[in-house]
């Protein structure tokens, strides 16, 4: 078991929960259950005016969804990132991932489609669209987006595996629905 003892948007530190670390954990342990962003609103406005890349907010969102499994806080971080730079591909890609993890596939699709519009040469968006449609049981759409991802990245083994899996699912679905 690991305990969080330091966090900011750019880095975090966990300590293994054992006797050697007990004193440090007791002194520095952080709970993010009630995380409140204390950065002033002026910082967001200044970053937007400077057309800064919202890397710290993206890092924070990635930490909250992938490490801490706290999707609502991740989405709040992504809202700030989008305010700073609405055209940052990573914001929409990570927002789609967050919604996907939450099971909100329609919002995931919306975010992945926006990411694909912002960076049409990135196979990841098309892969994620394929995965989302596949999870929804819409296998023709899933295949269409997986094949688009493969056209961008022809050596991507994961996409090839996904295509094979979806084709198998379509075949099984066709067999089970026939009289």
């Amino acid at each position: 078991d690991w305990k969080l003892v330091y966090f900011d948007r750019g880095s975090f530190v966990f300590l293994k929960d054992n006797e050697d670390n007990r004193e440090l954990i007791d002194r520095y342990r952080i709970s993010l259950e009630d995380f409140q962003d204390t950065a002033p609103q002026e910082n967001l406005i200044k970053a937007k005016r400077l057309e800064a890349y919202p890397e710290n907010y993206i890092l924070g969102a990635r930490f909250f969804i992938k490490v801490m499994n706290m999707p609502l806080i991740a989405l709040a971080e992504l809202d700030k990132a989008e305010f700073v730079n609405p055209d940052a591909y990573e914001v929409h890609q990570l927002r789609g991932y967050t919604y996907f993890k939450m099971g909100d596939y329609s919002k995931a699709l919306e975010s992945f489609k926006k990411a694909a519009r912002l960076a049409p040469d990135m196979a990841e968006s098309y892969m994620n669209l394929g995965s989302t449609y596949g999870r929804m049981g819409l296998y023709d759409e899933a295949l269409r987006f997986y094949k688009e991802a493969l056209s961008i990245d022809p050596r991507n083994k994961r996409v090839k595996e996904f295509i094979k899996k979806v084709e198998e699912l379509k075949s099984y679905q066709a067999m089970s629905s026939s009289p």
Side-chain angles (χ1 to χ4, degrees):
D1 196 23
W2 294 83
K3 303 297 179 192
L4 182 66
V5 294
Y6 177 81
F7 166 78
D8 67 25
R9 285 188 176 87
S11 59
F12 46 89
V13 175
F14 287 89
L15 291 177
K16 182 125 179 95
D17 191 2
N18 61 32
E19 203 53 46
D20 293 339
N21 295 329
R22 175 62 37 217
E23 185 181 334
L24 289 170
I25 290 170
D26 289 344
R27 187 178 321 147
Y28 296 110
R29 185 171 181 192
I30 297 172
S31 172
L32 293 174
E33 294 302 317
D34 299 314
F35 175 76
Q36 293 291 321
D37 185 8
T38 57
Q41 183 72 16
E42 301 87 57
N43 289 359
L44 279 173
I45 295 168
K46 182 178 180 182
K48 183 175 182 68
R49 190 174 61 247
L50 294 172
E51 297 180 8
Y53 190 77
E55 183 174 8
N56 285 342
Y57 295 110
I58 292 169
L59 288 172
R62 186 174 288 124
F63 170 79
F64 282 114
I65 188 59
K66 293 189 175 189
V67 176
M68 300 301 293
N69 194 27
M70 299 172 87
L72 297 179
I73 296 175
L75 290 172
E77 290 290 290
L78 291 167
D79 287 344
K80 293 171 196 152
E82 186 174 14
F83 175 81
V84 171
N85 185 340
D87 294 330
Y89 161 81
E90 256 187 303
V91 170
H92 303 287
Q93 191 65 9
L94 191 53
R95 186 186 310 276
Y97 174 82
T98 302
Y99 281 128
F100 184 89
K101 295 285 281 182
M102 294 171 70
D104 191 337
Y105 302 125
S106 63
K107 286 185 179 178
L109 287 173
E110 183 181 315
S111 295
F112 290 140
K113 285 177 182 178
K114 184 156 188 176
R117 281 193 303 274
L118 290 169
D121 57 334
M122 297 292 288
E124 181 182 24
S125 296
Y126 299 101
M127 276 179 51
N128 289 333
L129 283 162
S131 294
T132 306
Y133 279 116
R135 184 65 60 95
M136 297 169 73
L138 301 171
Y139 301 129
D140 289 332
E141 286 297 302
L143 279 174
R144 182 169 74 90
F145 284 105
Y146 284 146
K147 288 177 181 178
E148 182 66 28
L150 195 59
S151 74
I152 294 167
D153 185 3
R155 292 189 298 237
N156 190 318
K157 291 179 183 176
R158 280 184 56 213
V159 176
K160 291 176 183 178
E161 290 169 12
F162 290 156
I163 289 171
K164 184 178 177 184
K165 182 178 178 180
V166 171
E167 286 173 341
E168 289 171 1
L169 288 168
K170 272 185 67 169
S171 176
Y172 177 77
Q173 186 181 50
M175 287 186 337
S176 65
S177 65
S178 61

